[in-house]
Amino acid sequence: MKAHDAMYIGGQWRPAVGQDTIAVVNPADEQVIGHVPAGTAEDVDAAVRAARDAFPGWAATAPAERAARIAALRDVLVARKDEIAETVTAELGAPLGFSQAVHAGVPILVAGSYAELAATYSFEEKVGNSTVFLEPVGVVGAITPWNYPLHQIVAKVAPALAAGCTVVLKPAEDTPLTAQLFAEAVEEAGIPAGVFNLVTGLGPVAGQALAEHEGVDLVSFTGSTAVGKQIGATAGAAVKRVALELGGKSANVILPSADLAKAVNVGVANVMGNSGQTCSAWTRMLVHEDQYDEAVALAAAAVAKYTVGERVGPLVNAKQQARVRGYIEKGVEEGARLVAGGPDAPLDTGYYVAPTVFADVTPDMTIAREEIFGPVVSILKYADEDEALRIANGTVYGLAGAVWAADDAQAVAFARRMDTGQVDINGGRFNPLAPFGGYKQSGVGRELGSHGLSEYLQTKSLQF
Ligand code: NAP
Ligand code: MG
């Protein structure tokens, strides 16, 4: 993938208004791999105007035709799977196998699910003497992070297009090449000019201009809670729709009847994948006091298999590396016990952090409350189910979680008491149709499946 020195606006690659660029760095070797334009408010304005112009035509396009174009987009993502995986690995640092299976694989599933939903969804319903039409909201401003660079784009763009909305995307500054590749795929899929537009740039410049633009009807944001609060406030002041997918501090609750070794191993793998840069990662492992020492030993053994530079990639940039190392230092300072890893950088080059396990973590510690966004597992102890629930629910977040027990029914009973949006029962399996999103400060709204599609629709009722 060769970087474009242009924005994709109105179906064309156009030079940016300004001269500034963003250097894209490979976090594994710290080398610059390309430059993209740093868009300004003027570029955002041009993109929003292109999206507005394209909106009436796309909204009036039959759902079956929109479905066909999304299916074509899915097919391009399939054809360019290897290039996608290589691009994500180059700019995010994920091991190639993980990029192939997850970063390239999941967006194909999600795009496919929206091709099907666009064709089958009922955009019209009868309620008594009324007909209710589900109509597209309008122009969507999508702002995405770097941690799952293509998935987060597709999880917004595919349902928006299925609904009949048009989109302006501002991707993360760290992973713009994946976004440019996606724009190429949109073009190749024959999606009409202006339906999807890309403006690369910095969050506080291009991102903010997009969130504030009066031609944007809905802002869909994924990223940090701090920026999400700001975007929510901006959208609220303008009475604009907003969807927020924010941080998490999810619990992996291992009940005493569970298969302890399996629960610990899957739990560690869940955090180590993507170097811990997963908003839904189960970063707090909750273990009964009678099984605590055994679980800690199992976790230390499990994490030893995650060789840095092979199974675990670097963090996305130097700032995230420093931030995560700072959290590890804080954990030690506050009295948690290191059983694997630690704050020292494991390699001289690349933004790596050692896979780390903390035992004797208590719910009041910083590492048990704040999102670390790195390969760090904290193991907490509980005496009974009520205490486990108090700990699980005891953060400002509520994005995901896991419960393990001898039988699903026992795990389900516990999961129903958790203040969180998505729970995996005894390991679970990824479902691209399952609604994903947060309780509490983890966000507003849902992505994926029909729940994700409805975020991009507004209702009109006609009475007869
Ligand atoms: P972030 O700043 O929230 O980035 C998310 C997106 O918002 C990026 O496209 C960013 O652009 C943009 N943005 C930043 N400031 C903005 C503003 N004022 N107005 C509009 N858009 C703006 O997240 P980050 O700095 O990359 O990461 C910081 C922390 O956020 C992480 O350590 C992690 O805890 C959390 N995070 C969570 C998720 C998640 O999936 N929930 C994803 C990523 C990060 P730039 O790329 O130019 O900053
Ligand atoms: Mg940022």
Side-chain angles (χ1 to χ4, degrees), residues 327-353:
Y327 272 115
I328 297 173
E329 281 165 2
K330 191 99 186 159
V332 173
E333 260 168 55
E334 292 183 4
R337 176 164 55 100
L338 266 180
V339 294
D344 296 338
L347 299 176
D348 292 338
T349 309
Y351 308 126
Y352 292 93
V353 171

Side-chain angles (χ1 to χ4, degrees), residues 22 143-148 152 170-174 201-209 211 221-228 230-231 245-248 277-280 316-317 319-320 323 371-373 397 399:
I22 294 169
I143 301 173
T144 54
W146 41 263
N147 57 331
Y148 287 87
Q152 281 143 340
K170 202 304 279 180
E173 68 191 82
D174 290 297
L202 302 180
V205 183
Q208 195 164 326
F221 170 83
T222 300
S224 64
T225 298
V227 176
Q230 217 176 306
I231 286 181
E245 293 294 338
L246 309 177
Q277 304 168 118
T278 304
C279 46
S280 57
V316 70
N317 58 36
K319 190 175 149 211
Q320 286 300 113
R323 191 170 177 270
E371 185 172 49
I372 298 174
F373 236 57
Y397 296 113
L399 189 55

Side-chain angles (χ1 to χ4, degrees), residues 246-335:
L246 309 177
K249 191 71 192 174
S250 297
N252 179 18
V253 181
I254 306 176
L255 295 177
S257 65
D259 178 340
L260 184 66
K262 186 174 176 200
V264 170
N265 283 318
V266 175
V268 166
N270 173 280
V271 179
M272 294 303 142
N274 217 37
S275 307
Q277 304 168 118
T278 304
C279 46
S280 57
W282 314 327
T283 51
R284 297 180 298 148
M285 187 182 287
L286 275 56
V287 180
H288 189 272
E289 58 191 10
D290 293 345
Q291 298 172 323
Y292 194 78
D293 293 340
E294 193 186 348
V296 169
L298 285 165
V303 96
K305 297 187 200 119
Y306 288 84
T307 316
V308 171
E310 288 170 30
R311 276 181 84 180
V312 182
L315 298 201
V316 70
N317 58 36
K319 190 175 149 211
Q320 286 300 113
Q321 182 196 35
R323 191 170 177 270
V324 173
R325 291 170 68 189
Y327 272 115
I328 297 173
E329 281 165 2
K330 191 99 186 159
V332 173
E333 260 168 55
E334 292 183 4

Side-chain angles (χ1 to χ4, degrees), residues 116-131:
E116 199 174 317
L117 270 165
T120 55
Y121 196 77
S122 114
F123 292 95
E124 192 183 316
E125 62 195 38
K126 291 258 187 278
V127 184
N129 61 314
S130 302
T131 301

Side-chain angles (χ1 to χ4, degrees), residues 69-414:
R69 297 275 64 87
I70 298 167
L73 176 63
R74 189 257 337 267
D75 293 346
V76 179
L77 299 180
V78 171
R80 299 183 69 175
K81 196 171 184 286
D82 292 341
E83 198 188 347
I84 291 167
E86 283 157 21
T87 304
V88 174
T89 290
E91 62 182 0
L92 176 67
L96 192 60
F98 190 82
S99 290
Q100 284 163 336
V102 178
H103 290 299
V106 172
I108 291 168
L109 292 177
V110 173
S113 76
Y114 279 113
E116 199 174 317
L117 270 165
T120 55
Y121 196 77
S122 114
F123 292 95
E124 192 183 316
E125 62 195 38
K126 291 258 187 278
V127 184
N129 61 314
S130 302
T131 301
V132 179
F133 292 97
L134 302 175
E135 301 185 338
V137 169
V139 173
V140 173
I143 301 173
T144 54
W146 41 263
N147 57 331
Y148 287 87
L150 185 60
H151 169 65
Q152 281 143 340
I153 291 171
V154 172
K156 297 187 191 310
V157 176
L161 266 49
C165 293
T166 58
V167 180
V168 176
L169 168 69
K170 202 304 279 180
E173 68 191 82
D174 290 297
T175 53
L177 301 180
T178 304
Q180 290 189 338
L181 203 164
F182 177 77
E184 288 182 4
V186 164
E187 193 173 18
E188 238 179 290
I191 290 168
V195 169
F196 169 82
N197 307 275
L198 170 67
V199 176
T200 51
L202 302 180
V205 183
Q208 195 164 326
L210 183 59
E212 288 173 351
H213 201 292
E214 55 183 32
V216 169
D217 301 296
L218 182 159
V219 184
S220 181
F221 170 83
T222 300
S224 64
T225 298
V227 176
K229 284 179 177 171
Q230 217 176 306
I231 286 181
T234 303
V239 199
K240 237 177 239 184
R241 296 266 295 258
V242 66
L244 304 170
E245 293 294 338
L246 309 177
K249 191 71 192 174
S250 297
N252 179 18
V253 181
I254 306 176
L255 295 177
S257 65
D259 178 340
L260 184 66
K262 186 174 176 200
V264 170
N265 283 318
V266 175
V268 166
N270 173 280
V271 179
M272 294 303 142
N274 217 37
S275 307
Q277 304 168 118
T278 304
C279 46
S280 57
W282 314 327
T283 51
R284 297 180 298 148
M285 187 182 287
L286 275 56
V287 180
H288 189 272
E289 58 191 10
D290 293 345
Q291 298 172 323
Y292 194 78
D293 293 340
E294 193 186 348
V296 169
L298 285 165
V303 96
K305 297 187 200 119
Y306 288 84
T307 316
V308 171
E310 288 170 30
R311 276 181 84 180
V312 182
L315 298 201
V316 70
N317 58 36
K319 190 175 149 211
Q320 286 300 113
Q321 182 196 35
R323 191 170 177 270
V324 173
R325 291 170 68 189
Y327 272 115
I328 297 173
E329 281 165 2
K330 191 99 186 159
V332 173
E333 260 168 55
E334 292 183 4
R337 176 164 55 100
L338 266 180
V339 294
D344 296 338
L347 299 176
D348 292 338
T349 309
Y351 308 126
Y352 292 93
V353 171
T356 296
V357 177
F358 274 115
D360 301 342
V361 178
T362 55
D364 54 303
M365 289 180 184
T366 306
I367 57 167
R369 288 184 292 109
E370 295 183 13
E371 185 172 49
I372 298 174
F373 236 57
V376 182
V377 182
S378 296
I379 312 182
L380 294 94
K381 188 183 291 181
Y382 68 82
D384 55 34
E385 278 199 24
D386 284 342
E387 188 182 17
L389 187 72
R390 266 199 311 278
I391 297 171
N393 287 342
T395 75
V396 298
Y397 296 113
L399 189 55
V403 185
W404 302 80
D407 63 284
D408 284 356
Q410 191 194 359
V412 168
F414 191 96

